[in-house]
Amino acid sequence: MKSHLRTVRLHLAEPLRISRSTMSARDAVWLTVEHEGLSGHGEAVSSVYYALDADTLRRLLGGLELSRFADPESALEALREGELAHVDTPAAVTAAAESALLDLVGKRAGVPVHRLLGATATPVAATARTIGITAPMRAAAEARRLAARGFAVIKAKAGAPDPEDDIERVRVIRDAAPGVRLLLDPNGAWTPTQAAALLPRYADLGVEAVEQPLAPGDPEALGALAEKSPLPVIADEDAVALDDARRLAGRVQGVNVKLAKCGGVHAALRIADALEGSGTELMLGCLTASSLGLAPAVHLAERARWTDLDGHLLLAHDPWTGIGGGDGFVRASGRPGLGVTCEDLA
């Protein structure tokens, strides 16, 4: 097998402000694996939060030495057994390598990735669409636009310096799009005291669930809040890997699984199995990325109660196509592999 890397800049259609930062662009590193005339692709995106820049991603992806494997099937097996990457290899790197291998294995077998994973029906899911911390007038206009396009779920970011600003933003979103389901994500901005005071108010506004209301690092506090919360609490930054999910299973109402933080599709499936029967349900989330970066998660979409796979929809230009989302629904393709294509690579 041969592999090569390409770095591209992904610009957002407009800056996205959350409680800890504002983002207008990020770098993506594309990994292409070739074997016997076919190619598989994966994407890893830079992240300040996870301390990964493009140069680091390129170095680590190149260090996997995929050429030492005779075929993608044996490389994929080595990845599943923990033999492809080092223990300290970042999850985003492992996830990108797995994506490229799954894409290639699916193309060689002539089946889509969800069939490789045991699903028979083609996954389709209503995805949340994120509205960042912005002025109420802009939030209301965006909510009306999204509802008109068919979005049934909106996720509002929270964590402004004045909590009343967040309350007002969610109120106008609710008024502008009364039929949508509302999710809330403060990205760990609240103290336990603030969360206890604010969550009943959001429940009154019809918010369905809240992601990571407390600063990460104290899962006991998150579990204690979830026990008394009038809204389901979904762990995100406190639920990175399998051990985190096991620790929180039965204590919070949901766990947000992002392939770039847990290590890929098979790591996500292990988390889903660990949550089974615990009362804690699965949310599929993402980083801002192209359709290539999101496609592996879309092939898992039927397993999640909440689907938040809109990272490609935040871009000014998505260089890949194949998973949809513009009408509020992401869809896995029935084509072999991941089912995504890029004009630049044609």
Side-chain angles (χ1 to χ4, degrees), residues 17-299:
R17 179 186 170 197
I18 65 174
S19 62
R20 61 175 178 256
S21 63
T22 300
M23 180 178 62
S24 58
R26 74 187 333 154
D27 292 321
V29 178
W30 296 343
L31 168 67
T32 298
V33 182
E34 299 173 348
H35 186 64
E36 297 182 345
L38 294 174
S39 299
H41 308 281
E43 177 180 88
V45 293
S46 60
S47 170
V48 173
Y49 185 78
Y50 291 110
L52 292 172
D53 58 23
D55 289 342
T56 301
L57 291 171
R58 289 183 66 93
R59 175 176 57 80
L60 294 172
L61 285 166
L64 295 178
E65 299 180 345
L66 293 170
S67 60
R68 60 193 167 99
F69 295 96
D71 52 55
E73 291 80 7
S74 59
L76 187 60
E77 181 63 25
L79 183 146
R80 293 174 182 171
E81 296 299 323
E83 299 169 358
L84 177 61
H86 298 295
V87 174
D88 58 351
T89 298
V93 172
T94 305
E98 183 192 46
S99 171
L101 294 170
L102 281 171
D103 191 27
L104 184 51
V105 169
K107 289 172 179 174
R108 281 164 56 83
V111 299
V113 164
H114 60 268
R115 289 279 300 277
L116 293 177
L117 302 175
T120 53
T122 301
V124 179
T127 181
R129 179 65 158 77
T130 299
I131 296 178
I133 297 174
T134 188
M137 185 177 297
R138 293 191 66 182
E142 179 71 354
R144 280 191 292 269
R145 184 181 70 86
L146 293 172
R149 288 173 55 187
F151 282 86
V153 189
I154 289 176
K155 182 169 85 170
K157 291 291 187 177
D162 185 350
E164 294 302 321
D165 291 344
D166 295 330
I167 293 284
E168 177 63 10
R169 187 181 318 105
V170 172
R171 186 189 67 78
V172 299
I173 290 172
R174 167 55 72 214
D175 290 344
V180 304
R181 297 161 54 200
L182 280 180
L183 303 175
L184 186 72
D185 186 7
N187 288 106
W190 298 339
T191 66
T193 300
Q194 286 176 314
L198 290 169
L199 289 178
R201 299 177 67 185
Y202 284 111
D204 289 343
L205 289 171
V207 171
E208 179 177 315
V210 58
E211 284 183 63
Q212 195 69 43
L214 305 182
D218 191 350
E220 291 299 316
L222 192 67
L225 177 68
E227 185 178 358
K228 300 177 180 179
S229 172
L231 297 176
V233 171
I234 302 168
D236 182 359
E237 287 89 343
D238 265 328
V240 175
L242 178 60
D243 287 346
D244 301 320
R246 285 173 171 159
R247 189 178 301 113
L248 288 163
R251 303 208 60 201
V252 295
Q253 288 77 32
V255 163
N256 186 342
V257 172
K258 298 174 182 174
L259 303 191
K261 71 173 181 177
C262 74
V265 166
H266 287 89
L269 290 173
R270 287 192 288 270
I271 291 174
D273 289 344
L275 297 179
E276 189 72 30
S278 70
T280 298
E281 298 186 85
L282 187 70
M283 179 179 194
L284 277 173
C286 65
L287 302 181
T288 303
S290 76
S291 288
L292 171 61
L294 271 75
V298 174
H299 284 270

